[in-house]
């Protein structure tokens, strides 16, 4: 039996309009054979989590360049847990100071990819993380 | 016809000491069909007398025929190409093909042969003259430097005010206000969508009270201010006018710019509120109102900056920006405004990327193409309405989080390109912007970079000094050609509004962005410190600017107190007046909005009314 394709939500929470990174990552994941759902701009944490659960996603990638990352990671991860969907992997990228990364990881983010990250690294990390997640299911 | 044949020996001698087209060309009027090509050859013919015998075949130094020189040059080029081809076996070049960052193929060598079709007077001309290829002012930076204008704003109005004063004390010559995202999208700081965003990417402005603090101690009659605000531009401009009134400065004496460019928000930047039609009405209302009341104000800054940041090529940046410009001009003409009048107050905003020659060419091409479009397509006769005046910002997307100090060098190269391209004002990015908002130290270095270019580099002493470079002129022609091709395509689609609806510019930009990313990942494009010359750095510990997390709560508290202290019945009346004007397309919205902000109606309240009347734009997702 062939394994189900990896399904990822690429999300832009909040008011930030910088979508170059989100769209480049979405295309790279798609080219790597994953199923990608890009939410578009101005999503609330509720709508992102709702989409992820409905679509039975393996992971949510959050792109934030506005400095509001702490707020949105906390909200999204909290909502996932409260809806018994804490197994959905959360990762992210954008303009996020290095010093903030441990805090986001502490909240439950799997990885933060800063500017200059190769999309290949991103793809490999997701494959590995989803593989580990599925082996526990 | 060669000019040297007709010139006296004396004037030829004079030419020897002034090997400069600007001097050759006063004679051009006598030769109506004088082509750029001929001009080049006459220059070579001239030089041949000064240098050794035998150059350019040495045949009758002043009586060489065009055909002969042309033949000599073609043969010279052919022989060069053959020599190079032989040598390549032993010493190959580093790449098979070279292209600009924007993907334009580059020749190994450019010669006059590449400019055969060019006509100096028609295509290049003189600074301050149509088609403005060489600049919009006759003396450019010999008369006055560009305005050094650092985009800044964060947290509260009081903190941003302190940053503005710091910049002004350090020699900055204009202000540029960055608003936070809730302000840019028409939400007050207490709106649920504003949570986590207040004061983050710019200053939070809810009402005139914040705007008064923002400009406290800064005389609005003496500085020029740029407001980066688009969807709610009318409201923020109204507040600026009201602050001016309180300082005793008449609207007619205010100078500055509002970005007010909604089309690029749909294409690339994302801070839209209303659908295209009412958005275009707000824009043309501002054009109309300012023509009569705020005549020194630049009513729009048609922006390619964000289009480029989103990943477009240089030619696409020019194309989509000018296509947006044409859409605004058409909308205003349809609203009954005179393009010879409002056309004078249009301004532009471009990106300065890493590819130095391509960028210089881009600015020159944009100027020439806009002048031609305004004259030929829009029938404008007033020269000032054909001039493309522009602000430049260095390219944020080229800044690396790795070895961030390298960004100082990138910014310097980009800034120099914008100066060589004849910018009217400039923002230089701070080296730490891939990490966070810039710190005071990094902003200081960015501003000093401009001052070093202005006062130390010498690049400002000659107008448009790279003109006449075979490479730069060739690139200028190519960017204009590509841009015009896009504009024609957009025209055929039915104009920029239709093209945006179809996702055309969005798709083009995304494709270019993805191609660029792939080129970086394959190593075809080197980014120093990222995919080559990487060094391990100690992480963290940098002196980054942090916005105090209590800003949001404090701003909400202040807003609440302000709302309780004002006359709320009067506010409701004023908001009703805004609603009535919104319903009536033949009324200008600006006066009623000014009335409302004077009484401290908030931005969110006014935009709330307009949201109810106009509806909201929904993104057309293109992937």
């Amino acid at each position: 039996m062939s394994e189900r394709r990896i399904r990822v939500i690429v999300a832009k929470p909040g008011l930030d309009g910088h979508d170059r990174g989100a769209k480049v990552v979405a295309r790279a994941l798609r080219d790597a054979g994953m199923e990608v759902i890009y939410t578009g701009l101005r999503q609330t944490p509720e709508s992102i989590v709702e989409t992820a659960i409905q679509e039975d996603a393996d992971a949510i990638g959050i792109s934030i360049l506005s400095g509001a990352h702490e707020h949105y990671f906390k909200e999204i991860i909290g909502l996932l847990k409260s809806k018994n969907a804490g197994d959905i992997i959360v990762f992210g990228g954008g303009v996020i100071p290095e010093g903030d990364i441990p805090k986001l990881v502490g909240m439950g983010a799997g990885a933060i990819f800063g500017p200059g990250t190769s999309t290949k690294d991103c793809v490999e990390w997701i494959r590995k993380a989803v593989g580990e997640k599925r082996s526990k299911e | 016809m060669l000019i040297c044949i007709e010139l006296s020996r004396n004037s030829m001698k004079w030419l020897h000491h002034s090997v400069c087209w600007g001097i050759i060309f006063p004679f051009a009027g006598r030769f109506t069909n004088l082509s750029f090509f001929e001009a080049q050859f006459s220059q070579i013919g001239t030089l041949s007398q000064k240098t050794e015998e035998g150059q350019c075949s040495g045949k009758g130094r002043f009586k060489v025929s065009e055909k002969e020189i042309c033949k000599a040059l073609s043969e010279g080029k052919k022989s060069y190409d053959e020599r190079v081809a032989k040598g390549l076996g032993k010493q190959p070049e580093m790449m098979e093909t070279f292209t600009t960052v924007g993907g334009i193929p580059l020749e190994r060598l450019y010669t006059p042969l590449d400019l055969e079709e060019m006509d100096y007077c028609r295509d290049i001309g003189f600074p301050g003259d149509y088609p403005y290829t060489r600049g919009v002012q006759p003396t450019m930076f010999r008369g006055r430097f560009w305005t050094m204008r650092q985009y800044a704003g964060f947290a509260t109005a009081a903190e941003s005010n302190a940053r503005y004063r710091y910049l002004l004390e350090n020699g900055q010559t204009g202000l540029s206000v960055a608003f936070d995202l809730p302000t840019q999208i028409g939400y007050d700081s207490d709106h649920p969508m504003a949570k986590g965003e207040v004061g983050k990417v710019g200053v939070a402005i809810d009402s005139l009270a914040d705007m008064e603090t923002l400009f406290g101690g800064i005389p609005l009659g003496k500085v020029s201010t740029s407001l980066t605000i688009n969807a709610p531009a009318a409201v923020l401009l109204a507040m600026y006018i009201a602050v001016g009134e309180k300082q005793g400065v008449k609207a007619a004496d205010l100078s500055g710019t509002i970005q007010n460019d909604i089309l690029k928000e749909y294409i690339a930047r994302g801070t839209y509120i209303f659908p295209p039609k009412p958005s275009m009405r707000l824009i043309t209302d501002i054009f109309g109102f300012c023509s009569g009341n705020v005549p020194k104000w630049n009513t729009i800054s048609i922006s390619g900056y964000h289009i480029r940041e989103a990943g477009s090529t240089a030619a696409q940046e020019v194309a989509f920006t000018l296509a947006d410009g044409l859409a605004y001009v058409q909308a205003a003409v349809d609203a009954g405004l005179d393009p010879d009048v409002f056309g004078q107050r249009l301004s532009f905003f471009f990106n300065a990327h890493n590819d130095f020659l391509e960028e210089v060419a881009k600015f020159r091409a944009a100027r020439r193409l806009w002048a031609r479009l305004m004259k030929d397509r829009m029938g404008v006769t007033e020269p000032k309405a054909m001039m493309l005046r522009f602000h430049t910002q260095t390219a944020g997307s080229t800044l690396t989080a790795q070895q961030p100090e390298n960004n100082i060098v990138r910014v310097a190269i980009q800034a120099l390109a914008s100066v060589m391209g004849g910018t009217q004002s400039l923002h230089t990015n701070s080296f730490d912007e891939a990490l966070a908002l810039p710190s005071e130290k990094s902003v200081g270095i960015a501003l000093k970079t401009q001052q070093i270019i202005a006062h130390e580099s010498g690049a400002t002493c000659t107008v448009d000094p790279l003109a006449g470079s075979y490479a730069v002129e060739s690139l200028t022609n190519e960017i204009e050609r590509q841009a015009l091709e896009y504009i024609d395509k957009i025209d055929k689609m039915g104009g920029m509004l239709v093209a945006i609806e179809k996702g055309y510019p969005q798709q083009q930009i995304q494709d270019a962005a993805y191609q660029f990313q792939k080129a970086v990942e394959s190593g075809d494009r080197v980014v120093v410190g990222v995919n080559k010359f990487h060094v391990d750095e100690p992480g963290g510990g940098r002196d980054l600017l942090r916005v105090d997390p209590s800003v949001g709560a404090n701003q909400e508290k202040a807003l609440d107190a302000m709302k309780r202290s004002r006359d709320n019945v009067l506010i409701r009346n004023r908001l009703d007046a805004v609603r009535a004007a919104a319903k009536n397309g033949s009324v200008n919205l600006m006066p009623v909005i000014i009335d409302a902000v004077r009484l401290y109606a908030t931005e969110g309240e006014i935009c709330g009314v307009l949201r109810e009347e106009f509806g909201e734009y929904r993104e057309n997702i293109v992937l």
Side-chain angles (χ1 to χ4, degrees), chain A residues 14-17 20 23-24 27-28 31 39-42 66-68 71-72 95 97-98 100 115-116 118-120, chain B residues 181 185 195-197 200-201 269-272 309-311 402 435 510-511 514 517 521 539-540 546 619 621-623:
Chain A
L15 306 179
D16 176 29
R20 175 178 180 169
K23 285 177 167 178
V24 164
R27 269 170 95 153
D31 284 359
T39 62
L41 300 178
R42 298 210 200 157
S66 72
H71 171 74
Y72 284 112
V95 177
E98 224 168 281
D100 290 358
S118 154
T119 54
K120 282 175 205 137
Chain B
L181 284 167
I185 299 173
K195 268 236 155 349
E197 308 268 19
K200 285 279 160 64
V201 302
R269 190 168 176 271
T271 66
Y272 41 73
E309 285 293 290
Q402 297 78 5
L435 305 165
Q510 279 165 37
D511 288 348
Y514 197 49
Q517 178 69 23
E521 293 191 4
R546 295 209 158 267
E619 178 188 12
I621 295 177
V622 179
L623 201 63

Side-chain angles (χ1 to χ4, degrees), chain B residues 2-232:
Chain B
L2 277 168
I3 46 173
C4 35
I5 297 169
E6 304 223 353
L7 295 173
S8 72
R9 274 199 175 257
N10 275 346
S11 58
M12 286 310 291
K13 220 181 260 169
W14 175 61
L15 275 165
H16 299 158
H17 298 294
S18 332
V19 183
C20 160
W21 301 342
I23 290 169
I24 289 177
F25 276 91
F27 297 97
R30 289 164 58 193
F31 310 98
T32 46
N33 293 322
L34 180 70
S35 73
F36 189 81
F37 192 46
E38 288 166 317
Q40 289 291 318
F41 285 128
S42 63
Q43 194 179 338
I44 291 163
T46 309
L47 281 167
S48 71
Q49 193 203 30
K50 193 170 95 178
T51 54
E52 295 301 308
E53 290 287 326
Q55 202 168 335
C56 276
S57 312
K59 280 182 187 174
R61 281 169 305 218
F62 298 109
K63 304 219 184 233
V64 257
S65 76
E66 180 187 344
K67 212 169 147 195
E68 278 172 302
I69 298 174
C70 192
K71 200 170 147 224
L73 183 52
S74 296
E75 277 167 9
K77 177 74 186 344
K78 206 173 140 213
S79 133
Y80 164 80
D81 286 340
E82 283 165 7
R83 282 199 309 279
V84 168
K86 262 187 223 159
L88 284 181
K90 270 190 237 154
Q91 175 85 50
E93 293 176 331
M94 285 188 287
M95 284 184 277
E96 247 171 62
T97 52
F98 289 74
T99 58
T100 63
V101 167
I104 296 173
L106 288 168
E107 299 292 333
R108 179 177 297 115
L109 186 78
Y110 290 88
T111 69
L113 295 168
D114 297 291
L115 304 176
E116 211 166 345
E117 300 299 317
M118 211 158 175
D119 178 317
Y120 183 90
C121 291
R122 183 194 65 201
D123 300 325
I124 301 179
F126 290 88
D129 287 349
Y130 182 85
Y132 308 104
T133 314
R134 306 204 64 175
V136 293
Q137 291 123 5
T139 63
M140 289 303 292
F141 307 128
R142 290 168 66 102
R144 180 176 169 268
F145 292 127
W146 59 93
T147 303
M148 297 177 191
R149 197 193 291 280
Q150 297 296 92
Y151 181 47
F154 56 95
T156 60
E159 280 174 84
S160 296
N161 176 265
R163 175 66 69 87
Y164 298 155
R165 288 167 180 236
Y166 166 83
L167 286 166
L168 290 170
E169 277 159 23
N170 275 273
Q172 175 164 289
T173 48
L175 292 176
S176 176
V177 181
F179 296 101
D180 72 356
L181 284 167
T183 306
Q184 292 188 48
I185 299 173
Y187 293 127
D188 284 342
S189 300
D190 57 359
H191 192 280
M193 283 299 281
K195 268 236 155 349
E197 308 268 19
V198 175
K200 285 279 160 64
V201 302
V203 59
I205 299 292
D206 292 324
S207 76
L208 182 58
D210 296 319
M211 206 71 162
E212 286 164 5
T213 309
L214 188 64
F215 293 106
I218 298 170
L220 299 194
K222 290 194 180 135
V223 293
S224 82
T225 305
S226 171
L227 306 173
T228 297
I229 194 79
N230 293 279

Side-chain angles (χ1 to χ4, degrees), chain B residues 385-446:
Chain B
M386 300 173 199
M387 286 182 193
L388 179 144
R389 296 170 298 120
F390 68 100
H391 172 70
T392 308
Q393 180 169 338
T394 58
S397 62
T398 65
L399 302 183
T400 62
Q402 297 78 5
Q403 306 171 36
E405 289 80 4
N406 294 347
N407 294 327
I408 297 172
V409 182
R410 293 189 177 98
V411 168
I413 293 169
Q414 296 163 4
L416 186 60
S418 80
V419 170
M420 309 259 80
T423 196
Q424 276 59 64
S425 65
L426 176 61
H427 166 106
T428 32
N429 285 332
S430 300
F431 69 85
D432 51 1
E433 289 189 51
L435 305 165
L437 280 187
S439 65
E440 197 158 280
K441 181 187 165 201
S442 67
V443 171
I445 293 171

Side-chain angles (χ1 to χ4, degrees), chain B residues 311-434:
Chain B
S312 84
T313 66
Q316 287 169 347
E317 180 189 354
V318 173
F320 299 149
T321 309
L322 300 199
D324 284 350
L326 290 174
Y328 294 124
V329 172
Q330 193 57 56
V333 168
D334 293 346
L337 300 175
D338 179 358
D340 275 314
V341 178
F342 75 78
Q344 298 183 40
R345 300 317 308 171
L346 305 178
S347 65
F348 290 81
F349 173 21
F350 289 112
N351 198 300
H353 217 274
N354 278 335
D355 192 321
F356 184 77
L357 296 182
E358 180 177 44
E359 292 302 291
V360 175
K362 177 188 79 182
F363 299 122
R364 302 174 79 247
R367 245 188 330 258
R368 181 162 76 205
L369 184 53
W370 182 248
R372 288 176 168 166
L373 292 169
M374 283 299 269
K375 187 166 182 248
D376 300 338
R377 293 202 187 183
M378 293 305 180
V380 158
T381 54
E382 166 60 47
K384 275 192 179 153
M386 300 173 199
M387 286 182 193
L388 179 144
R389 296 170 298 120
F390 68 100
H391 172 70
T392 308
Q393 180 169 338
T394 58
S397 62
T398 65
L399 302 183
T400 62
Q402 297 78 5
Q403 306 171 36
E405 289 80 4
N406 294 347
N407 294 327
I408 297 172
V409 182
R410 293 189 177 98
V411 168
I413 293 169
Q414 296 163 4
L416 186 60
S418 80
V419 170
M420 309 259 80
T423 196
Q424 276 59 64
S425 65
L426 176 61
H427 166 106
T428 32
N429 285 332
S430 300
F431 69 85
D432 51 1
E433 289 189 51

Side-chain angles (χ1 to χ4, degrees), chain A residues 57-75:
Chain A
D58 296 294
I60 303 174
I62 303 170
S63 161
I64 306 175
L65 289 83
S66 72
H69 41 273
E70 276 190 47
H71 171 74
Y72 284 112
F73 273 89
K74 200 170 146 194
E75 288 282 312

Side-chain angles (χ1 to χ4, degrees), chain B residues 228-539:
Chain B
T228 297
I229 194 79
N230 293 279
V235 181
L236 275 297
L237 175 61
M239 287 184 188
Y240 193 81
I241 292 169
V243 174
E245 282 171 3
K246 295 215 158 186
Q247 288 190 1
V249 182
K250 284 193 228 91
D253 294 328
L254 295 174
S255 70
T257 308
I258 30 169
Q259 200 161 77
N260 198 23
D261 171 11
I262 199 67
L263 294 178
K264 64 94 175 53
E265 298 293 334
Y266 301 136
I267 296 172
R269 190 168 176 271
T271 66
Y272 41 73
I273 305 177
F274 314 112
K277 213 176 150 214
S279 293
M280 294 300 269
R281 176 200 167 181
L282 279 165
I283 290 166
T284 52
D285 277 2
I286 290 171
F287 287 5
F289 178 81
C290 289
S291 285
N293 301 283
V294 205
K296 288 200 282 183
W297 198 264
N298 296 313
T299 52
I300 193 166
S301 173
I302 306 162
S303 306
Y305 184 80
H306 319 89
I307 289 170
R308 191 70 183 279
E309 285 293 290
S312 84
T313 66
Q316 287 169 347
E317 180 189 354
V318 173
F320 299 149
T321 309
L322 300 199
D324 284 350
L326 290 174
Y328 294 124
V329 172
Q330 193 57 56
V333 168
D334 293 346
L337 300 175
D338 179 358
D340 275 314
V341 178
F342 75 78
Q344 298 183 40
R345 300 317 308 171
L346 305 178
S347 65
F348 290 81
F349 173 21
F350 289 112
N351 198 300
H353 217 274
N354 278 335
D355 192 321
F356 184 77
L357 296 182
E358 180 177 44
E359 292 302 291
V360 175
K362 177 188 79 182
F363 299 122
R364 302 174 79 247
R367 245 188 330 258
R368 181 162 76 205
L369 184 53
W370 182 248
R372 288 176 168 166
L373 292 169
M374 283 299 269
K375 187 166 182 248
D376 300 338
R377 293 202 187 183
M378 293 305 180
V380 158
T381 54
E382 166 60 47
K384 275 192 179 153
M386 300 173 199
M387 286 182 193
L388 179 144
R389 296 170 298 120
F390 68 100
H391 172 70
T392 308
Q393 180 169 338
T394 58
S397 62
T398 65
L399 302 183
T400 62
Q402 297 78 5
Q403 306 171 36
E405 289 80 4
N406 294 347
N407 294 327
I408 297 172
V409 182
R410 293 189 177 98
V411 168
I413 293 169
Q414 296 163 4
L416 186 60
S418 80
V419 170
M420 309 259 80
T423 196
Q424 276 59 64
S425 65
L426 176 61
H427 166 106
T428 32
N429 285 332
S430 300
F431 69 85
D432 51 1
E433 289 189 51
L435 305 165
L437 280 187
S439 65
E440 197 158 280
K441 181 187 165 201
S442 67
V443 171
I445 293 171
L447 179 57
K448 299 294 161 198
T449 304
Q450 295 197 37
Q451 291 165 347
I452 290 166
I453 292 172
H455 298 279
E456 298 185 24
S457 76
T460 57
C461 303
T462 302
V463 178
D464 189 26
L466 294 184
S469 148
Y470 308 123
V472 169
E473 295 298 355
S474 298
L475 274 171
T476 304
N477 292 344
E478 179 59 16
I479 290 174
E480 185 186 19
R481 190 192 65 75
Q482 287 192 12
L484 193 57
E485 218 171 81
Y486 280 114
I487 289 171
D488 287 339
K489 197 165 182 186
I490 289 165
D491 270 354
K492 283 200 188 94
M493 285 181 190
M496 199 44 152
L497 286 168
V498 179
I500 290 169
E501 216 170 281
K502 288 187 175 161
Y504 173 70
Q506 297 95 311
Q507 189 71 60
Q508 294 291 313
I509 294 166
Q510 279 165 37
D511 288 348
Y514 197 49
Q515 289 310 318
F516 184 82
Q517 178 69 23
K518 286 210 284 198
V520 170
E521 293 191 4
S522 69
D524 287 346
R525 286 260 167 231
V526 172
V527 182
V528 172
V530 175
N531 65 357
K532 209 168 185 176
F533 313 114
H534 183 78
V535 287
D536 284 324
E537 294 174 278

